[in-house]
Amino acid sequence: MDLRASKIKSVDQNQLKRSVAEATLEHIQPKLTKDTVLGIGTGSTVNLFIESLVKIKHKFDCAVSSSEASTLLLEAGGVKVINLNAAPQLDIYVDGADESNEEKQLIKGGGGALTQEKIVAQAAQEFFCMIDESKLVKTLGKFPLPIE
């Protein structure tokens, strides 16, 4: 693949990620109240989700983050981030996945935040996993995975 084709593929994948992040925000927005505590995962799709989320930070109370990178992005956007132990309830957790198959099985944790992501996801009432068609594979496990 030449450099131009690589750049086009990257732009296309970023647009897919942005589209799924925006669609997820549209889906959860009606569920948000001034008391809502959101759980936020980590990764490139989540980063795009956070970009959009900060625009509506007045519609929810605060967030619990599964990574330092997401915490920094949230706080830079003016979203209050609290520790999971301080959350009265975690209403919604939003994260991405590395791979998914047709059976809706997921591979997560390729970025190394698997344990913290699982803890926050388990605490949430609802889990929204953002994946676009570039994440769909026939066989899971294309890359090395962390073991917890």
Side-chain angles (χ1 to χ4, degrees), residues 95-113:
D95 203 354
D98 298 302
E99 293 179 347
S100 178
N101 63 17
E102 290 181 6
E103 289 79 35
K104 297 183 181 178
Q105 297 168 321
L106 302 173
I107 296 272
K108 293 190 47 50

Side-chain angles (χ1 to χ4, degrees), residues 13-140:
Q13 187 166 13
N14 282 337
Q15 185 53 47
L16 289 172
K17 290 177 181 186
R18 184 172 302 282
S19 293
V20 76
E22 290 172 359
T24 302
L25 186 61
E26 280 181 38
H27 188 75
I28 70 163
Q29 192 169 346
K31 299 172 182 257
L32 301 179
T33 71
K34 64 177 183 62
D35 297 321
T36 301
V37 179
L38 291 174
I40 305 295
T42 192
S44 56
T45 306
V46 172
N47 292 347
L48 296 169
F49 176 79
I50 292 170
E51 275 183 28
S52 296
L53 182 67
V54 299
K55 297 173 188 171
I56 62 161
K57 62 187 173 206
H58 60 282
K59 294 190 175 191
F60 62 97
D61 183 25
C62 59
V64 171
S65 173
S66 71
S67 75
E68 187 63 30
S70 292
T71 297
L72 292 172
L73 283 174
L74 289 160
E75 290 176 340
V79 175
K80 181 172 104 177
V81 178
I82 64 171
N83 183 288
L84 179 60
N85 293 328
Q89 174 177 308
L90 193 58
D91 301 292
I92 298 168
Y93 179 65
V94 178
D95 203 354
D98 298 302
E99 293 179 347
S100 178
N101 63 17
E102 290 181 6
E103 289 79 35
K104 297 183 181 178
Q105 297 168 321
L106 302 173
I107 296 272
K108 293 190 47 50
L114 178 62
T115 301
Q116 188 64 20
E117 288 174 347
K118 285 174 67 174
I119 291 168
V120 178
Q122 182 64 36
Q125 300 294 314
E126 291 185 86
F127 174 30
F128 291 88
C129 188
M130 301 180 293
I131 58 169
D132 60 70
E133 58 253 26
S134 71
K135 304 290 184 165
L136 295 174
V137 297
K138 290 197 183 296
T139 304
L140 295 174

